[in-house]
Short mmCIF file of all heavy atoms in Angstrom, two decimals:
data_model
loop_
_atom_site.label_atom_id
_atom_site.label_comp_id
_atom_site.label_asym_id
_atom_site.label_seq_id
_atom_site.Cartn_x
_atom_site.Cartn_y
_atom_site.Cartn_z
N HIS A 55 10.76 25.04 -22.58
CA HIS A 55 10.90 24.36 -23.92
C HIS A 55 10.28 25.31 -25.00
O HIS A 55 10.94 25.25 -26.15
CB HIS A 55 10.25 23.00 -23.95
CG HIS A 55 11.03 21.95 -23.23
ND1 HIS A 55 12.05 21.33 -23.82
CD2 HIS A 55 11.02 21.50 -22.02
CE1 HIS A 55 12.56 20.42 -23.04
NE2 HIS A 55 12.03 20.53 -21.83
N ARG A 56 9.23 25.91 -24.84
CA ARG A 56 8.65 26.73 -25.84
C ARG A 56 9.57 27.93 -26.25
O ARG A 56 9.75 28.23 -27.40
CB ARG A 56 7.27 27.36 -25.29
CG ARG A 56 6.73 28.30 -26.24
CD ARG A 56 5.45 28.90 -25.72
NE ARG A 56 4.96 30.06 -26.37
CZ ARG A 56 4.14 30.98 -25.93
NH1 ARG A 56 3.75 30.92 -24.70
NH2 ARG A 56 3.84 32.04 -26.66
N VAL A 57 10.22 28.58 -25.21
CA VAL A 57 11.07 29.70 -25.51
C VAL A 57 12.22 29.19 -26.40
O VAL A 57 12.58 29.85 -27.36
CB VAL A 57 11.56 30.32 -24.20
CG1 VAL A 57 12.62 31.33 -24.51
CG2 VAL A 57 10.45 31.07 -23.58
N PHE A 58 12.90 28.09 -25.97
CA PHE A 58 14.00 27.58 -26.76
C PHE A 58 13.53 27.12 -28.24
O PHE A 58 14.36 27.25 -29.07
CB PHE A 58 14.79 26.58 -26.08
CG PHE A 58 15.64 27.16 -24.97
CD1 PHE A 58 15.28 27.16 -23.68
CD2 PHE A 58 16.89 27.82 -25.33
CE1 PHE A 58 16.02 27.76 -22.67
CE2 PHE A 58 17.60 28.41 -24.37
CZ PHE A 58 17.22 28.42 -23.06
N SER A 59 12.39 26.58 -28.31
CA SER A 59 11.92 26.20 -29.60
C SER A 59 11.74 27.49 -30.44
O SER A 59 12.12 27.54 -31.69
CB SER A 59 10.55 25.51 -29.48
OG SER A 59 10.03 25.22 -30.77
N MET A 60 11.31 28.58 -29.86
CA MET A 60 11.21 29.76 -30.59
C MET A 60 12.56 30.30 -30.98
O MET A 60 12.75 30.84 -32.15
CB MET A 60 10.41 30.93 -29.76
CG MET A 60 8.99 30.54 -29.64
SD MET A 60 8.12 31.65 -28.42
CE MET A 60 8.25 33.18 -29.22
N TYR A 61 13.56 30.30 -30.13
CA TYR A 61 14.90 30.67 -30.61
C TYR A 61 15.41 29.87 -31.73
O TYR A 61 15.95 30.47 -32.70
CB TYR A 61 15.84 30.36 -29.34
CG TYR A 61 15.95 31.24 -28.09
CD1 TYR A 61 16.46 30.82 -26.99
CD2 TYR A 61 15.40 32.53 -28.18
CE1 TYR A 61 16.51 31.68 -25.84
CE2 TYR A 61 15.42 33.37 -27.06
CZ TYR A 61 16.00 32.97 -25.94
OH TYR A 61 16.10 33.71 -24.84
N GLU A 62 15.13 28.49 -31.76
CA GLU A 62 15.62 27.75 -32.87
C GLU A 62 14.81 28.10 -34.14
O GLU A 62 15.43 28.19 -35.21
CB GLU A 62 15.36 26.28 -32.56
CG GLU A 62 16.31 25.76 -31.46
CD GLU A 62 15.82 24.48 -30.81
OE1 GLU A 62 14.81 23.94 -31.23
OE2 GLU A 62 16.56 24.03 -29.90
N ARG A 63 13.54 28.36 -33.96
CA ARG A 63 12.80 28.78 -35.15
C ARG A 63 13.07 30.16 -35.68
O ARG A 63 12.58 30.57 -36.71
CB ARG A 63 11.23 28.60 -34.83
CG ARG A 63 10.80 27.21 -34.69
CD ARG A 63 10.87 26.48 -35.99
NE ARG A 63 10.71 25.10 -35.90
CZ ARG A 63 11.04 24.23 -36.81
NH1 ARG A 63 11.56 24.57 -37.97
NH2 ARG A 63 10.81 22.95 -36.64
N ALA A 64 13.88 30.91 -34.96
CA ALA A 64 14.37 32.13 -35.45
C ALA A 64 15.43 32.01 -36.47
O ALA A 64 15.68 32.86 -37.26
CB ALA A 64 14.85 33.03 -34.27
N THR A 65 16.12 30.83 -36.44
CA THR A 65 17.16 30.56 -37.35
C THR A 65 16.97 29.47 -38.34
O THR A 65 17.64 29.34 -39.37
CB THR A 65 18.55 30.32 -36.63
OG1 THR A 65 18.38 29.05 -35.84
CG2 THR A 65 18.94 31.44 -35.80
N VAL A 66 15.98 28.62 -38.06
CA VAL A 66 15.79 27.33 -38.80
C VAL A 66 14.35 27.18 -39.20
O VAL A 66 13.42 27.46 -38.39
CB VAL A 66 16.24 26.10 -37.93
CG1 VAL A 66 16.03 24.84 -38.74
CG2 VAL A 66 17.76 26.22 -37.54
N GLY A 67 14.12 26.70 -40.38
CA GLY A 67 12.76 26.39 -40.83
C GLY A 67 12.22 27.37 -41.77
O GLY A 67 12.78 28.43 -41.97
N LYS A 68 11.07 27.00 -42.36
CA LYS A 68 10.43 27.84 -43.32
C LYS A 68 9.84 29.09 -42.74
O LYS A 68 9.91 30.21 -43.24
CB LYS A 68 9.38 27.09 -44.05
CG LYS A 68 9.86 25.95 -44.89
CD LYS A 68 8.73 25.18 -45.55
CE LYS A 68 9.30 23.96 -46.34
NZ LYS A 68 8.17 23.22 -46.84
N ASP A 69 9.13 28.88 -41.57
CA ASP A 69 8.51 30.02 -40.86
C ASP A 69 9.39 30.45 -39.83
O ASP A 69 9.41 29.78 -38.70
CB ASP A 69 7.05 29.61 -40.32
CG ASP A 69 6.13 29.31 -41.58
OD1 ASP A 69 6.26 29.96 -42.52
OD2 ASP A 69 5.39 28.28 -41.34
N ARG A 70 10.05 31.62 -39.95
CA ARG A 70 10.94 32.10 -38.90
C ARG A 70 10.18 32.95 -37.86
O ARG A 70 9.29 33.65 -38.20
CB ARG A 70 11.98 33.01 -39.61
CG ARG A 70 12.89 32.31 -40.64
CD ARG A 70 13.81 31.27 -39.95
NE ARG A 70 14.53 30.51 -40.93
CZ ARG A 70 15.77 30.73 -41.22
NH1 ARG A 70 16.41 31.84 -40.78
NH2 ARG A 70 16.34 29.92 -42.15
N VAL A 71 10.60 32.77 -36.74
CA VAL A 71 10.02 33.48 -35.46
C VAL A 71 10.76 34.78 -35.40
O VAL A 71 12.01 34.80 -35.08
CB VAL A 71 10.10 32.64 -34.25
CG1 VAL A 71 9.67 33.51 -33.02
CG2 VAL A 71 9.35 31.33 -34.32
N PRO A 72 10.07 35.92 -35.52
CA PRO A 72 10.73 37.21 -35.35
C PRO A 72 11.06 37.64 -33.91
O PRO A 72 10.42 37.10 -32.94
CB PRO A 72 9.73 38.15 -36.01
CG PRO A 72 8.45 37.56 -35.74
CD PRO A 72 8.70 36.09 -35.78
N ALA A 73 11.94 38.54 -33.68
CA ALA A 73 12.23 39.01 -32.27
C ALA A 73 11.01 39.48 -31.63
O ALA A 73 10.88 39.25 -30.39
CB ALA A 73 13.35 40.06 -32.34
N GLU A 74 10.13 40.12 -32.31
CA GLU A 74 8.91 40.67 -31.71
C GLU A 74 8.04 39.59 -31.08
O GLU A 74 7.24 39.95 -30.19
CB GLU A 74 8.19 41.51 -32.79
CG GLU A 74 8.90 42.76 -33.23
CD GLU A 74 10.18 42.45 -34.04
OE1 GLU A 74 10.13 41.45 -34.79
OE2 GLU A 74 11.11 43.28 -33.99
N ALA A 75 8.08 38.38 -31.43
CA ALA A 75 7.38 37.28 -30.91
C ALA A 75 7.72 37.08 -29.42
O ALA A 75 6.90 36.49 -28.65
CB ALA A 75 7.56 36.04 -31.62
N PHE A 76 8.80 37.65 -28.94
CA PHE A 76 9.32 37.48 -27.64
C PHE A 76 8.87 38.60 -26.64
O PHE A 76 9.06 38.48 -25.51
CB PHE A 76 10.80 37.39 -27.56
CG PHE A 76 11.32 36.15 -28.11
CD1 PHE A 76 11.52 36.13 -29.55
CD2 PHE A 76 11.62 35.01 -27.37
CE1 PHE A 76 12.10 34.92 -30.11
CE2 PHE A 76 12.15 33.89 -28.02
CZ PHE A 76 12.32 33.84 -29.32
N VAL A 77 8.21 39.64 -27.16
CA VAL A 77 7.82 40.81 -26.47
C VAL A 77 7.05 40.50 -25.15
O VAL A 77 7.46 41.01 -24.08
CB VAL A 77 7.06 41.84 -27.23
CG1 VAL A 77 6.43 42.84 -26.47
CG2 VAL A 77 7.92 42.40 -28.35
N ASP A 78 6.07 39.68 -25.20
CA ASP A 78 5.26 39.42 -23.94
C ASP A 78 5.80 38.31 -23.15
O ASP A 78 5.27 37.93 -22.08
CB ASP A 78 3.74 39.24 -24.23
CG ASP A 78 3.50 37.90 -24.99
OD1 ASP A 78 4.40 37.26 -25.47
OD2 ASP A 78 2.34 37.63 -25.08
N LEU A 79 6.85 37.75 -23.50
CA LEU A 79 7.59 36.62 -22.75
C LEU A 79 8.58 37.17 -21.73
O LEU A 79 8.90 36.51 -20.78
CB LEU A 79 8.31 35.66 -23.72
CG LEU A 79 7.49 34.98 -24.82
CD1 LEU A 79 8.34 34.06 -25.61
CD2 LEU A 79 6.29 34.28 -24.16
N VAL A 80 9.07 38.44 -21.82
CA VAL A 80 9.98 39.00 -21.01
C VAL A 80 9.51 40.37 -20.45
O VAL A 80 8.78 41.11 -21.14
CB VAL A 80 11.31 39.29 -21.73
CG1 VAL A 80 11.96 37.89 -22.21
CG2 VAL A 80 11.24 40.23 -22.85
N ASP A 81 9.87 40.63 -19.20
CA ASP A 81 9.47 41.85 -18.47
C ASP A 81 10.07 43.09 -19.14
O ASP A 81 11.13 43.03 -19.81
CB ASP A 81 9.94 41.66 -17.08
CG ASP A 81 9.46 42.85 -16.17
OD1 ASP A 81 8.21 42.92 -15.93
OD2 ASP A 81 10.22 43.69 -15.82
N GLU A 82 9.41 44.15 -19.03
CA GLU A 82 9.87 45.39 -19.61
C GLU A 82 11.23 45.82 -19.01
O GLU A 82 12.17 46.33 -19.72
CB GLU A 82 8.87 46.55 -19.31
CG GLU A 82 9.31 47.94 -19.77
CD GLU A 82 9.34 48.12 -21.28
OE1 GLU A 82 8.45 47.51 -21.88
OE2 GLU A 82 10.31 48.65 -21.78
N SER A 83 11.61 45.43 -17.78
CA SER A 83 12.87 45.65 -17.16
C SER A 83 13.61 44.38 -16.84
O SER A 83 14.36 44.23 -15.86
CB SER A 83 12.67 46.40 -15.79
OG SER A 83 11.98 47.61 -16.02
N ILE A 84 13.57 43.50 -17.86
CA ILE A 84 14.29 42.23 -17.73
C ILE A 84 15.78 42.36 -17.44
O ILE A 84 16.41 43.32 -17.91
CB ILE A 84 14.07 41.30 -18.96
CG1 ILE A 84 14.62 39.94 -18.74
CG2 ILE A 84 14.69 41.95 -20.23
CD1 ILE A 84 14.21 38.89 -19.78
N HIS A 85 16.29 41.54 -16.64
CA HIS A 85 17.76 41.53 -16.25
C HIS A 85 18.24 40.25 -16.74
O HIS A 85 17.86 39.19 -16.33
CB HIS A 85 17.90 41.66 -14.68
CG HIS A 85 19.21 41.58 -14.22
ND1 HIS A 85 19.87 42.68 -13.70
CD2 HIS A 85 20.17 40.60 -14.20
CE1 HIS A 85 21.13 42.47 -13.36
NE2 HIS A 85 21.30 41.13 -13.65
N VAL A 86 19.18 40.27 -17.78
CA VAL A 86 19.80 39.10 -18.34
C VAL A 86 21.31 39.26 -18.28
O VAL A 86 21.84 40.27 -18.59
CB VAL A 86 19.42 39.03 -19.90
CG1 VAL A 86 19.99 37.80 -20.50
CG2 VAL A 86 17.86 39.01 -20.03
N ASP A 87 21.86 38.15 -17.84
CA ASP A 87 23.33 38.09 -17.83
C ASP A 87 23.72 36.80 -18.63
O ASP A 87 23.61 35.66 -18.10
CB ASP A 87 23.96 37.97 -16.40
CG ASP A 87 23.92 39.27 -15.67
OD1 ASP A 87 23.86 40.36 -16.37
OD2 ASP A 87 24.02 39.27 -14.45
N PHE A 88 24.21 37.05 -19.84
CA PHE A 88 24.74 35.94 -20.66
C PHE A 88 26.25 36.01 -20.51
O PHE A 88 26.80 37.02 -20.03
CB PHE A 88 24.43 36.14 -22.15
CG PHE A 88 22.99 35.96 -22.49
CD1 PHE A 88 22.24 36.79 -23.33
CD2 PHE A 88 22.29 34.84 -22.08
CE1 PHE A 88 20.95 36.59 -23.63
CE2 PHE A 88 20.98 34.56 -22.34
CZ PHE A 88 20.35 35.48 -23.15
N PRO A 89 26.97 34.92 -20.84
CA PRO A 89 28.48 35.02 -20.75
C PRO A 89 29.05 36.16 -21.45
O PRO A 89 30.12 36.67 -21.06
CB PRO A 89 28.89 33.72 -21.32
CG PRO A 89 27.74 32.82 -21.11
CD PRO A 89 26.54 33.65 -21.25
N ASP A 90 28.50 36.69 -22.52
CA ASP A 90 29.16 37.69 -23.31
C ASP A 90 28.22 38.88 -23.64
O ASP A 90 28.49 39.63 -24.55
CB ASP A 90 29.66 37.09 -24.65
CG ASP A 90 28.61 36.35 -25.41
OD1 ASP A 90 27.39 36.32 -24.91
OD2 ASP A 90 28.94 35.84 -26.48
N TYR A 91 27.07 38.95 -22.87
CA TYR A 91 26.14 40.03 -23.27
C TYR A 91 25.27 40.31 -22.05
O TYR A 91 24.78 39.37 -21.34
CB TYR A 91 25.24 39.49 -24.42
CG TYR A 91 24.66 40.58 -25.30
CD1 TYR A 91 25.32 40.94 -26.50
CD2 TYR A 91 23.49 41.28 -24.94
CE1 TYR A 91 24.76 41.87 -27.36
CE2 TYR A 91 23.00 42.24 -25.78
CZ TYR A 91 23.66 42.57 -27.06
OH TYR A 91 23.10 43.44 -27.86
N LYS A 92 25.08 41.56 -21.68
CA LYS A 92 24.28 41.96 -20.58
C LYS A 92 23.06 42.79 -21.09
O LYS A 92 23.21 43.58 -22.02
CB LYS A 92 25.05 42.96 -19.61
CG LYS A 92 26.30 42.31 -19.07
CD LYS A 92 26.11 41.04 -18.26
CE LYS A 92 27.44 40.59 -17.73
NZ LYS A 92 27.58 39.10 -17.87
N ILE A 93 21.80 42.44 -20.52
CA ILE A 93 20.65 43.12 -21.03
C ILE A 93 19.82 43.71 -19.80
O ILE A 93 19.71 42.89 -18.73
CB ILE A 93 19.73 42.03 -21.75
CG1 ILE A 93 20.49 41.57 -22.98
CG2 ILE A 93 18.30 42.64 -22.10
CD1 ILE A 93 19.91 40.34 -23.65
N ARG A 94 19.27 44.77 -19.85
CA ARG A 94 18.55 45.36 -18.76
C ARG A 94 17.26 45.97 -19.11
O ARG A 94 16.59 46.69 -18.35
CB ARG A 94 19.47 46.53 -18.14
CG ARG A 94 20.82 46.00 -17.54
CD ARG A 94 20.59 45.02 -16.47
NE ARG A 94 21.89 44.47 -16.00
CZ ARG A 94 22.45 43.42 -16.29
NH1 ARG A 94 21.92 42.57 -17.11
NH2 ARG A 94 23.63 43.04 -15.72
N SER A 95 16.71 45.62 -20.33
CA SER A 95 15.37 46.03 -20.66
C SER A 95 14.78 45.13 -21.79
O SER A 95 15.59 44.47 -22.49
CB SER A 95 15.37 47.49 -21.13
OG SER A 95 16.04 47.56 -22.43
N ARG A 96 13.56 45.16 -22.00
CA ARG A 96 12.93 44.50 -23.18
C ARG A 96 13.54 44.97 -24.41
O ARG A 96 13.73 44.09 -25.42
CB ARG A 96 11.43 44.65 -23.17
CG ARG A 96 10.70 43.80 -24.20
CD ARG A 96 9.17 44.09 -24.19
NE ARG A 96 8.61 43.58 -23.00
CZ ARG A 96 7.53 44.05 -22.39
NH1 ARG A 96 7.03 45.19 -22.81
NH2 ARG A 96 7.01 43.53 -21.26
N GLN A 97 13.73 46.24 -24.63
CA GLN A 97 14.30 46.77 -25.89
C GLN A 97 15.63 46.23 -26.15
O GLN A 97 15.96 45.84 -27.23
CB GLN A 97 14.32 48.35 -25.88
CG GLN A 97 13.31 49.07 -26.49
CD GLN A 97 12.60 48.45 -27.75
OE1 GLN A 97 11.58 47.86 -27.54
NE2 GLN A 97 13.15 48.52 -28.89
N GLU A 98 16.49 46.10 -25.03
CA GLU A 98 17.87 45.51 -25.31
C GLU A 98 17.66 44.05 -25.55
O GLU A 98 18.57 43.56 -26.26
CB GLU A 98 18.64 45.79 -24.01
CG GLU A 98 19.04 47.21 -23.74
CD GLU A 98 19.83 47.36 -22.52
OE1 GLU A 98 20.29 46.40 -21.85
OE2 GLU A 98 20.02 48.58 -22.15
N PHE A 99 16.71 43.32 -24.95
CA PHE A 99 16.51 41.92 -25.27
C PHE A 99 16.22 41.71 -26.75
O PHE A 99 16.74 40.88 -27.40
CB PHE A 99 15.39 41.41 -24.42
CG PHE A 99 15.17 39.90 -24.62
CD1 PHE A 99 15.97 39.00 -23.86
CD2 PHE A 99 14.24 39.38 -25.52
CE1 PHE A 99 15.68 37.65 -23.96
CE2 PHE A 99 14.10 37.99 -25.62
CZ PHE A 99 14.83 37.11 -24.95
N LEU A 100 15.36 42.56 -27.37
CA LEU A 100 15.06 42.48 -28.79
C LEU A 100 16.17 42.80 -29.63
O LEU A 100 16.44 42.15 -30.65
CB LEU A 100 13.82 43.40 -29.10
CG LEU A 100 12.48 43.01 -28.34
CD1 LEU A 100 11.43 44.10 -28.71
CD2 LEU A 100 12.02 41.62 -28.64
N LYS A 101 16.98 43.78 -29.18
CA LYS A 101 18.19 44.21 -29.90
C LYS A 101 19.22 42.90 -29.91
O LYS A 101 19.80 42.65 -30.88
CB LYS A 101 18.81 45.36 -29.21
CG LYS A 101 20.11 45.87 -29.82
CD LYS A 101 20.68 47.06 -29.19
CE LYS A 101 22.11 47.41 -29.74
NZ LYS A 101 22.73 48.43 -28.93
N TRP A 102 19.33 42.30 -28.67
CA TRP A 102 20.20 41.13 -28.62
C TRP A 102 19.66 40.06 -29.59
O TRP A 102 20.47 39.47 -30.26
CB TRP A 102 20.25 40.61 -27.20
CG TRP A 102 20.81 39.18 -27.15
CD1 TRP A 102 22.18 38.80 -27.16
CD2 TRP A 102 19.98 37.94 -27.12
NE1 TRP A 102 22.18 37.43 -27.16
CE2 TRP A 102 20.93 36.92 -27.07
CE3 TRP A 102 18.62 37.69 -27.04
CZ2 TRP A 102 20.56 35.55 -27.05
CZ3 TRP A 102 18.21 36.41 -27.05
CH2 TRP A 102 19.12 35.35 -27.06
N HIS A 103 18.41 39.85 -29.58
CA HIS A 103 17.82 38.76 -30.36
C HIS A 103 18.14 38.98 -31.90
O HIS A 103 18.55 38.14 -32.57
CB HIS A 103 16.35 38.77 -30.26
CG HIS A 103 15.57 37.60 -30.84
ND1 HIS A 103 15.38 37.49 -32.16
CD2 HIS A 103 15.15 36.38 -30.29
CE1 HIS A 103 14.72 36.35 -32.47
NE2 HIS A 103 14.60 35.69 -31.31
N HIS A 104 18.02 40.22 -32.39
CA HIS A 104 18.36 40.64 -33.77
C HIS A 104 19.85 40.36 -33.98
O HIS A 104 20.31 39.77 -35.00
CB HIS A 104 18.06 42.02 -34.04
CG HIS A 104 16.54 42.22 -34.29
ND1 HIS A 104 15.85 41.84 -35.42
CD2 HIS A 104 15.64 42.84 -33.57
CE1 HIS A 104 14.59 42.17 -35.26
NE2 HIS A 104 14.41 42.84 -34.23
N TRP A 105 20.72 40.81 -32.98
CA TRP A 105 22.15 40.63 -33.12
C TRP A 105 22.63 39.17 -33.21
O TRP A 105 23.32 38.75 -34.18
CB TRP A 105 22.85 41.29 -31.87
CG TRP A 105 24.33 41.02 -31.78
CD1 TRP A 105 25.25 41.66 -32.56
CD2 TRP A 105 25.03 40.16 -30.93
NE1 TRP A 105 26.57 41.15 -32.17
CE2 TRP A 105 26.33 40.24 -31.18
CE3 TRP A 105 24.52 39.21 -29.92
CZ2 TRP A 105 27.31 39.47 -30.51
CZ3 TRP A 105 25.44 38.46 -29.30
CH2 TRP A 105 26.83 38.65 -29.52
N ILE A 106 22.13 38.33 -32.35
CA ILE A 106 22.51 36.91 -32.32
C ILE A 106 22.00 36.20 -33.55
O ILE A 106 22.74 35.42 -34.16
CB ILE A 106 22.14 36.19 -30.98
CG1 ILE A 106 22.80 34.81 -30.91
CG2 ILE A 106 20.67 36.05 -30.73
CD1 ILE A 106 24.29 34.81 -30.78
N HIS A 107 20.80 36.48 -33.95
CA HIS A 107 20.18 35.65 -35.04
C HIS A 107 20.77 36.27 -36.34
O HIS A 107 20.72 35.57 -37.39
CB HIS A 107 18.67 35.59 -34.96
CG HIS A 107 18.35 34.71 -33.85
ND1 HIS A 107 17.86 35.18 -32.70
CD2 HIS A 107 18.41 33.37 -33.71
CE1 HIS A 107 17.65 34.18 -31.83
NE2 HIS A 107 17.95 33.11 -32.49
N ASP A 108 21.31 37.38 -36.41
CA ASP A 108 21.99 37.90 -37.64
C ASP A 108 23.34 37.25 -37.79
O ASP A 108 23.82 37.21 -38.91
CB ASP A 108 22.12 39.47 -37.52
CG ASP A 108 20.89 40.25 -37.81
OD1 ASP A 108 19.93 39.63 -38.37
OD2 ASP A 108 20.83 41.46 -37.66
N LEU A 109 23.88 36.76 -36.71
CA LEU A 109 25.19 36.06 -36.69
C LEU A 109 25.03 34.54 -37.04
O LEU A 109 26.02 33.96 -37.62
CB LEU A 109 25.89 36.07 -35.38
CG LEU A 109 26.32 37.52 -34.87
CD1 LEU A 109 26.89 37.40 -33.53
CD2 LEU A 109 27.28 38.14 -35.88
#
Side-chain angles (χ1 to χ4, degrees):
H55 282 278
R56 175 181 167 204
V57 170
F58 283 102
S59 176
M60 290 172 66
Y61 283 161
E62 292 160 0
R63 290 293 171 195
T65 61
V66 179
K68 294 178 184 175
D69 297 322
R70 299 291 172 98
V71 174
E74 293 69 32
F76 292 85
V77 167
D78 69 349
L79 304 181
V80 299
D81 186 71
E82 180 65 40
S83 300
I84 189 169
H85 180 107
V86 181
D87 285 339
F88 290 133
D90 55 0
Y91 208 99
K92 307 297 181 220
I93 298 168
R94 298 301 181 258
S95 70
R96 182 182 292 144
Q97 260 332 98
E98 288 179 12
F99 185 86
L100 297 177
K101 179 180 173 187
W102 164 80
H103 190 281
H104 284 289
W105 171 76
I106 188 67
H107 290 105
D108 283 347
L109 296 176

